[in-house]
Amino acid sequence: MTRTIVESKSKTAIIGFDQPFCVIGERINPTGRKKLAAELEAGDFSTVEKDALAQVAAGATMLDVNAGVVYNSNPNPNETEPPLMVEMIKLVQGLVDVPLCIDSSVPAALEAGLEVCEGRPLLNSVTGEEERLEFILPLVKKYNVPVVAISNDDTGISEDPDVRFAVAKKIVERAADFGIPAHDIVVDPLVMPVGAMGTAGLQVFALVRRLREELGVNTTCGASNISFGLPNRHGINNAFLPMAIGAGMTSAIMNPVALPVTQKAIAEKKAAVEAAGIMLPPEMDDETFVTVFGLGSMQSRPGKEMEAIRAANFLMNNDAHGAEWIRFNKPPAAAGEEGRGRGGRAGGRRRRA
Amino acid sequence: MTRTIVESKSKTAIIGFDQPFCVIGERINPTGRKKLAAELEAGDFSTVEKDALAQVAAGATMLDVNAGVVYNSNPNPNETEPPLMVEMIKLVQGLVDVPLCIDSSVPAALEAGLEVCEGRPLLNSVTGEEERLEFILPLVKKYNVPVVAISNDDTGISEDPDVRFAVAKKIVERAADFGIPAHDIVVDPLVMPVGAMGTAGLQVFALVRRLREELGVNTTCGASNISFGLPNRHGINNAFLPMAIGAGMTSAIMNPVALPVTQKAIAEKKAAVEAAGIMLPPEMDDETFVTVFGLGSMQSRPGKEMEAIRAANFLMNNDAHGAEWIRFNKPPAAAGEEGRGRGGRAGGRRRRA
């Protein structure tokens, strides 16, 4: 039975066929997040802290830490990423106790991260590219860590799943030459957007089965790629994850946190409420408004994908007696009480007036 | 490629490995619905009409029609079910154009249904019980219809999936003796509640693969059984269906319609709204209230399971270019317009006041 052991200083996560699905929180990543990139350049790590706490609260098994930022003051990531990675890892491992995944395309940033990361982090990633194999695999061996292996090579990303399987096989074999066992390799078979390629889902399901049966490796993916460009992306993701889990996928790099309600949505609802002739008490704050009008929540909470994953864990018999499912779905007694309490307070104010 | 052809007078539904999942609407069934049973005894078919229309609107591919009622005036279903089945089938096939599934444990009701049903209905069901095999298979042959084969026999329902597979195999072989091809048999491998049996999901996924690979048959199930007795049953169902589809399941007997908001939920929300000091305009009707406060809808609409199934169809490459997914997820322009229109009317009233 393949088991990939990942550890923080105090906590062990096991990626495995007989384990609950491993959710690797993807949020700590400035790629494509301009605001976060600017904050990091200015030495402001508040968003990193918030993202770390929210993802763990939502149920992330591990956190990915990516320092892929290009500073305005210095456009050379080989110089800026390694020290930023060190700072981010120190911060995150001081804040939460889950294991980390050190994620960079800059080899020096991976090495810098490995030096400061406590426990046994997951390294993200090696590919089938020759230069990358020759640099990363010795690092993996030296630090005795598991590694994500992405199924592309010097020819790029193939649309042919057989080629992607062959790349994964090459990486596993090359790793074996370095004395790295297959159970320390977590293959990402690469998920294409189903909107662009109708066979994208079937490819992943078939690849995951082959990778598991023929190479005996755990698997991961950037789960949300599947729904790229489509309406109602969550609807696609919520079906894709259980299907991938059913096919044997054992982890995903994804956002476990539901998007909080936007200021725009609040403003639109307020306009609709006013137009419907509803009078709000002047003291009503946004949080109460959002709750009463069923807009969701201003607090972070687990995304629907986490519900789908927990249900899939149960259905794969990796949630004994459904204990986690039942705990996850317990009605929030506090929220109910709070609702009544809030009403009570409002009534109190009216009585005093 | 296995294809089960089911037809109404004007419409063909294909159950098959390369087809969108076949949703057999289960609502037209008085079993466990006391109010409906009493209505039917009194000759009132309004609920049947409503259920037929709502299920087709929600996306049902076929409708199951079950007349399993025990009258107060006559406790013998062998006498009461056949004429009721005839009446229900005539009513439903006059109202909607999807193919029907004739569902009864009373053999005479199945035969009566077959006599009046237009097109090529699905017969529900034969089991591995000797008496049932000997009565139903000749009917299937005589009327040249496909049949649901449930994997229990004279010894009952086995908890051992190998035994359930063997029962299915026996039915397929016995049917062959009657000249009934495997593609006209839709096997229900029987879904156990995962809350009672942790392996229930894995059993179904493995059985569906075997039934498909070894017997070449389509499959169906009573999908909601999987979540029996658990909290947040929809959460389990929404993951189970895509996983079953990924394993090769080709149809399910299920409710495609979302539960409408209850009067109790409306009353509770009104109390909370009042307690929060919100003033509603006196002319606000329940439907507007439900919409504005995000309680769901008083109209029937597709359940979340239908979203999961449509996403799974896309991911199985059975929704070319995602056309159905995009259509299903198109923002309801009418609803948006209506929202604004409603606001406009309310404003108008205020201006006139």
Side-chain angles (χ1 to χ4, degrees), chain A residues 231-232 269 275 279 292 325 329 346, chain B residues 231-232 269 275 279 292 325 329 346:
Chain A
N232 187 8
K269 190 70 176 188
M279 305 279 281
V292 171
W325 178 256
N329 286 288
Chain B
N232 188 7
K269 189 73 175 186
M279 307 277 280
V292 172
W325 178 256
N329 286 288

Side-chain angles (χ1 to χ4, degrees), chain A:
Chain A
M1 190 58 83
T2 299
R3 290 179 163 209
T4 305
I5 308 290
V6 193
E7 293 180 311
S8 66
K9 194 166 74 174
S10 62
K11 215 165 180 174
T12 299
I14 303 172
I15 308 176
F17 305 156
D18 61 345
Q19 299 292 318
F21 194 67
C22 175
V23 174
I24 305 171
E26 73 182 4
R27 289 290 291 164
I28 304 177
N29 187 341
T31 316
R33 294 176 76 184
K34 276 191 186 172
K35 190 162 158 277
L36 175 55
E39 282 174 17
L40 293 174
E41 184 165 7
D44 171 3
F45 288 85
S46 56
T47 299
V48 173
E49 290 180 11
K50 220 176 57 185
D51 283 340
L53 293 170
Q55 291 183 102
V56 172
T61 323
M62 298 171 52
L63 294 186
D64 189 85
V65 177
N66 181 309
V69 67
V70 178
Y71 287 166
N72 291 316
S73 55
N74 182 349
N76 183 354
N78 292 310
E79 290 175 10
T80 58
E81 271 203 42
L84 180 62
M85 179 66 90
V86 166
E87 210 164 350
M88 287 168 84
I89 285 179
K90 283 183 173 171
L91 175 74
V92 174
Q93 72 189 0
L95 200 62
V96 296
D97 61 359
V98 299
L100 304 185
C101 177
I102 304 174
D103 181 5
S104 184
S105 55
V106 175
L110 292 177
E111 185 154 22
L114 283 169
E115 271 172 29
V116 296
C117 195
E118 300 165 328
R120 189 172 200 252
L122 178 62
L123 201 64
N124 188 4
S125 56
V126 70
T127 68
E129 297 162 293
E130 281 304 321
E131 200 184 337
R132 193 105 183 150
L133 283 166
E134 291 305 315
F135 187 87
I136 303 292
L137 292 180
L139 267 190
V140 168
K141 180 64 186 169
K142 176 177 168 195
Y143 286 90
N144 182 28
V145 290
V147 66
V148 173
I150 303 186
S151 309
N152 65 298
D153 64 10
D154 293 294
T155 65
I157 297 176
S158 174
E159 293 196 352
D160 179 346
D162 289 340
V163 172
R164 301 213 297 282
F165 179 82
V167 173
K169 191 157 182 268
K170 180 180 86 168
I171 301 173
V172 170
E173 287 168 354
R174 195 68 73 85
D177 294 342
F178 282 88
I180 300 161
H183 67 246
D184 270 341
I185 300 175
V186 181
V187 172
D188 180 346
L190 287 164
V191 172
M192 310 286 173
V194 70
M197 188 193 287
T199 55
L202 292 176
Q203 282 194 1
V204 173
F205 308 146
L207 272 170
V208 165
R209 267 190 220 108
R210 276 191 79 186
L211 289 164
R212 179 173 170 153
E213 283 165 16
E214 297 180 35
L215 304 185
V217 292
N218 278 307
T219 43
T220 195
C221 68
S224 66
N225 278 1
I226 193 74
S227 59
F228 181 80
L230 291 170
N232 187 8
R233 292 188 64 174
H234 287 286
I236 297 282
N237 299 347
N238 293 346
F240 173 73
L241 283 161
M243 292 172 91
I245 292 170
M249 181 91 77
T250 46
S251 73
I253 301 176
M254 54 175 277
N255 178 13
V257 182
L259 288 178
V261 61
T262 61
Q263 285 301 323
K264 181 162 171 270
I266 295 175
E268 283 176 2
K269 190 70 176 188
K270 283 194 171 165
V273 162
E274 195 193 345
I278 295 168
M279 305 279 281
L280 301 178
E283 74 276 14
M284 181 175 276
D285 58 29
D286 274 359
E287 186 150 347
T288 310
F289 178 81
V290 161
T291 307
V292 171
F293 287 91
L295 286 187
S297 174
M298 297 182 73
Q299 308 300 319
S300 336
R301 60 194 202 290
K304 272 285 173 188
E305 283 88 345
M306 293 305 289
E307 177 178 291
I309 287 171
R310 283 167 186 277
N313 286 339
F314 194 2
L315 293 165
M316 295 298 283
N317 201 19
N318 289 329
D319 177 8
H321 310 295
E324 278 298 314
W325 178 256
I326 290 162
R327 195 184 62 75
F328 183 73
N329 286 288
K330 221 185 289 190
E337 293 301 320
E338 200 187 314
R340 277 192 289 278
R342 202 177 273 147
R345 283 198 299 279
R349 271 198 292 275
R350 276 204 304 278
R351 277 194 297 274
R352 279 197 299 275

